[in-house]
Amino acid sequence: MKDEFGNALFLILIAVALFAALSYAVTNSGRGGGGIDREQNEILAAQLLNQAAAMRTQYQRLQIIGQYDQILFNDTTENTNGTCYTGDQTTAGCLTVGLFAPNDGISIPNWDDRMSDPAFSADNCVWVWNSRRLYIDGTDVGTAAPDELFYASNLTEGLYRAINQKYNGNADILEYNSSASSTAGVAVQYLNKDGSFTTLTAVPNSNLGLDVPNLGCSRTQGGTNYLAVFVLQER
């Protein structure tokens, strides 16, 4: 009889413990589940970094096998009379091809809606290419010539932190100076959320360099506009 009572009490205690654990899990789920959000951001960060790595690898491959004057950040086919962009300067008669060209390029990366910050939904661009003078923590990358870089914009803060953790080993997001000294101007092209590209344009300006504290993610001074910056080519 005592054994039966002891077994029943033990089963009741187990049931209470399981119910408490279930209640805790349900409550956390209702609050957004910090652990779940963190794991999701880590997965999305890995996807985005893989996309960035694939674009850089394809850029280097086309440079080596095609001997192109410039690989453009779009889906144009090979052009023996294309236009090269170096900052706000253009050069006609170049051999060019798009990074996402139908025959020689890679597929346009799929954009997961969970990556986007709803606060920036009106601004559709997600990947931005620049020919622009780049500084890292105040030090010019390469020479005084414009570098080629690309960055992801309009992501959630949690995703930016997860990218930094994977890319730099630190989730902190430092401020960047969006108006670093430069007389080279900037060329810009956007890859939009729907997979379309904007017209590649050159923007003359005496103050359009970019100074970031580190590659990976940073934010505007005193602001909430974030960038995840990657280099295609130092010049």
Side-chain angles (χ1 to χ4, degrees):
M1 189 68 177
K2 288 182 180 180
D3 289 341
E4 291 179 1
F5 178 76
N7 289 337
L9 181 60
F10 179 70
L11 292 174
I12 291 172
L13 291 174
I14 291 178
V16 170
L18 290 173
F19 180 76
L22 179 61
S23 299
Y24 177 80
V26 170
T27 300
N28 273 355
S29 176
R31 292 174 179 173
I36 295 173
D37 287 346
R38 184 170 56 254
E39 290 178 3
Q40 175 180 283
N41 283 327
E42 288 174 354
I43 293 170
L44 294 176
Q47 291 177 4
L48 190 137
L49 289 174
N50 285 340
Q51 291 175 1
M55 286 187 272
R56 284 184 309 210
T57 299
Q58 175 65 1
Y59 183 93
Q60 293 165 359
R61 187 185 77 84
L62 288 172
Q63 275 189 317
I64 294 169
I65 68 171
Q67 298 294 303
Y68 293 101
D69 296 314
Q70 190 165 44
I71 295 100
L72 304 175
F73 197 75
N74 56 32
D75 57 358
T76 55
T77 57
E78 183 178 296
N79 187 353
T80 58
N81 192 31
T83 301
C84 288
Y85 292 80
T86 306
D88 62 356
Q89 302 298 306
T90 59
T91 305
C94 290
L95 177 60
T96 64
V97 70
L99 187 66
F100 309 97
N103 297 325
D104 299 317
I106 56 174
S107 299
I108 294 172
N110 293 321
W111 194 261
D112 192 314
D113 286 339
R114 294 173 298 175
M115 294 179 176
S116 301
D117 188 334
F120 298 107
S121 59
D123 187 357
N124 195 37
C125 68
V126 287
W127 287 107
V128 184
W129 170 86
N130 281 173
S131 173
R132 184 181 195 179
R133 195 169 176 182
L134 178 65
Y135 299 78
I136 297 179
D137 198 21
T139 301
D140 195 356
V141 170
T143 68
D147 309 287
E148 288 195 44
L149 59 108
F150 66 112
Y151 58 84
S153 65
N154 302 347
L155 311 183
T156 64
E157 181 179 341
L159 177 52
Y160 279 119
R161 291 188 180 279
I163 291 170
N164 264 4
Q165 184 64 51
K166 287 182 177 293
Y167 200 77
N168 298 314
N170 190 320
D172 293 343
I173 301 177
L174 304 178
E175 293 182 342
Y176 71 85
N177 180 6
S178 59
S179 299
S181 177
S182 175
T183 57
V186 59
V188 60
Q189 186 154 44
Y190 301 99
L191 169 53
N192 299 309
K193 201 172 182 180
D194 62 2
S196 64
F197 296 91
T198 61
T199 301
L200 202 165
T201 56
V203 184
N205 193 300
S206 61
N207 201 28
L208 279 175
L210 179 64
D211 188 359
V212 293
N214 51 258
L215 295 178
C217 301
S218 52
R219 64 182 175 87
T220 51
Q221 291 177 322
T224 56
N225 185 24
Y226 300 92
L227 299 178
V229 180
F230 308 95
V231 175
L232 280 171
Q233 184 171 8
E234 298 177 6
R235 296 187 185 275

